[in-house]
PDB file of all heavy atoms in Angstrom:
ATOM      1  N   ILE A 299      13.755  19.295 -18.506  1.00 98.00           N
ATOM      2  CA  ILE A 299      12.425  19.748 -18.943  1.00 98.00           C
ATOM      3  C   ILE A 299      11.644  18.539 -19.402  1.00 98.00           C
ATOM      4  O   ILE A 299      12.205  17.624 -20.047  1.00 98.00           O
ATOM      5  CB  ILE A 299      12.580  20.742 -20.116  1.00 98.00           C
ATOM      6  CG1 ILE A 299      13.499  21.918 -19.727  1.00 98.00           C
ATOM      7  CG2 ILE A 299      11.227  21.211 -20.630  1.00 98.00           C
ATOM      8  CD1 ILE A 299      13.944  22.772 -20.923  1.00 98.00           C
ATOM      9  N   SER A 300      10.371  18.504 -19.075  1.00 98.00           N
ATOM     10  CA  SER A 300       9.514  17.439 -19.666  1.00 98.00           C
ATOM     11  C   SER A 300       8.444  18.117 -20.455  1.00 98.00           C
ATOM     12  O   SER A 300       8.149  19.306 -20.257  1.00 98.00           O
ATOM     13  CB  SER A 300       8.885  16.544 -18.573  1.00 98.00           C
ATOM     14  OG  SER A 300       9.943  15.830 -17.936  1.00 98.00           O
ATOM     15  N   SER A 301       7.834  17.389 -21.395  1.00 97.00           N
ATOM     16  CA  SER A 301       6.904  17.987 -22.316  1.00 97.00           C
ATOM     17  C   SER A 301       5.756  17.027 -22.596  1.00 97.00           C
ATOM     18  O   SER A 301       5.906  15.799 -22.524  1.00 97.00           O
ATOM     19  CB  SER A 301       7.680  18.309 -23.563  1.00 97.00           C
ATOM     20  OG  SER A 301       6.907  18.178 -24.722  1.00 97.00           O
ATOM     21  N   VAL A 302       4.603  17.575 -22.891  1.00 97.00           N
ATOM     22  CA  VAL A 302       3.407  16.738 -23.186  1.00 97.00           C
ATOM     23  C   VAL A 302       2.430  17.419 -24.125  1.00 97.00           C
ATOM     24  O   VAL A 302       2.443  18.660 -24.206  1.00 97.00           O
ATOM     25  CB  VAL A 302       2.680  16.371 -21.862  1.00 97.00           C
ATOM     26  CG1 VAL A 302       2.009  17.602 -21.243  1.00 97.00           C
ATOM     27  CG2 VAL A 302       1.624  15.287 -22.105  1.00 97.00           C
ATOM     28  N   GLY A 303       1.644  16.661 -24.768  1.00 95.00           N
ATOM     29  CA  GLY A 303       0.440  17.190 -25.467  1.00 95.00           C
ATOM     30  C   GLY A 303       0.472  17.041 -26.949  1.00 95.00           C
ATOM     31  O   GLY A 303      -0.552  16.975 -27.606  1.00 95.00           O
ATOM     32  N   GLU A 304       1.669  17.024 -27.530  1.00 94.00           N
ATOM     33  CA  GLU A 304       1.820  16.877 -28.982  1.00 94.00           C
ATOM     34  C   GLU A 304       3.174  16.216 -29.202  1.00 94.00           C
ATOM     35  O   GLU A 304       3.992  16.173 -28.306  1.00 94.00           O
ATOM     36  CB  GLU A 304       1.933  18.242 -29.698  1.00 94.00           C
ATOM     37  CG  GLU A 304       1.135  19.373 -29.136  1.00 94.00           C
ATOM     38  CD  GLU A 304       1.937  20.654 -29.276  1.00 94.00           C
ATOM     39  OE1 GLU A 304       2.439  20.962 -30.371  1.00 94.00           O
ATOM     40  OE2 GLU A 304       2.050  21.357 -28.292  1.00 94.00           O
ATOM     41  N   PRO A 305       3.381  15.750 -30.454  1.00 93.00           N
ATOM     42  CA  PRO A 305       4.705  15.149 -30.690  1.00 93.00           C
ATOM     43  C   PRO A 305       5.804  16.163 -30.455  1.00 93.00           C
ATOM     44  O   PRO A 305       5.673  17.344 -30.792  1.00 93.00           O
ATOM     45  CB  PRO A 305       4.625  14.773 -32.185  1.00 93.00           C
ATOM     46  CG  PRO A 305       3.170  14.766 -32.514  1.00 93.00           C
ATOM     47  CD  PRO A 305       2.517  15.738 -31.597  1.00 93.00           C
ATOM     48  N   LEU A 306       6.877  15.700 -29.862  1.00 94.00           N
ATOM     49  CA  LEU A 306       8.028  16.595 -29.559  1.00 94.00           C
ATOM     50  C   LEU A 306       9.055  16.320 -30.670  1.00 94.00           C
ATOM     51  O   LEU A 306       9.610  15.221 -30.762  1.00 94.00           O
ATOM     52  CB  LEU A 306       8.621  16.226 -28.202  1.00 94.00           C
ATOM     53  CG  LEU A 306       9.808  17.056 -27.764  1.00 94.00           C
ATOM     54  CD1 LEU A 306       9.399  18.505 -27.520  1.00 94.00           C
ATOM     55  CD2 LEU A 306      10.408  16.465 -26.504  1.00 94.00           C
ATOM     56  N   ASN A 307       9.215  17.314 -31.532  1.00 91.00           N
ATOM     57  CA  ASN A 307      10.153  16.999 -32.660  1.00 91.00           C
ATOM     58  C   ASN A 307      11.594  16.941 -32.195  1.00 91.00           C
ATOM     59  O   ASN A 307      12.033  17.695 -31.333  1.00 91.00           O
ATOM     60  CB  ASN A 307       9.983  17.964 -33.839  1.00 91.00           C
ATOM     61  CG  ASN A 307       9.294  19.249 -33.510  1.00 91.00           C
ATOM     62  OD1 ASN A 307       8.844  19.439 -32.374  1.00 91.00           O
ATOM     63  ND2 ASN A 307       9.301  20.175 -34.417  1.00 91.00           N
ATOM     64  N   PRO A 308      12.361  16.058 -32.862  1.00 93.00           N
ATOM     65  CA  PRO A 308      13.771  15.886 -32.500  1.00 93.00           C
ATOM     66  C   PRO A 308      14.547  17.225 -32.522  1.00 93.00           C
ATOM     67  O   PRO A 308      15.421  17.455 -31.676  1.00 93.00           O
ATOM     68  CB  PRO A 308      14.294  14.932 -33.542  1.00 93.00           C
ATOM     69  CG  PRO A 308      13.131  14.145 -33.966  1.00 93.00           C
ATOM     70  CD  PRO A 308      11.941  15.071 -33.870  1.00 93.00           C
ATOM     71  N   GLU A 309      14.207  18.149 -33.464  1.00 95.00           N
ATOM     72  CA  GLU A 309      14.939  19.425 -33.551  1.00 95.00           C
ATOM     73  C   GLU A 309      14.813  20.172 -32.221  1.00 95.00           C
ATOM     74  O   GLU A 309      15.753  20.839 -31.785  1.00 95.00           O
ATOM     75  CB  GLU A 309      14.369  20.347 -34.622  1.00 95.00           C
ATOM     76  CG  GLU A 309      14.317  19.786 -36.026  1.00 95.00           C
ATOM     77  CD  GLU A 309      13.006  19.059 -36.268  1.00 95.00           C
ATOM     78  OE1 GLU A 309      12.875  17.884 -35.747  1.00 95.00           O
ATOM     79  OE2 GLU A 309      12.101  19.562 -36.947  1.00 95.00           O
TER      80      GLU A 309
END
Side-chain angles (χ1 to χ4, degrees):
I299 302 167
S300 295
S301 146
V302 68
E304 327 143 49
L306 182 67
N307 20 354
E309 305 88 285

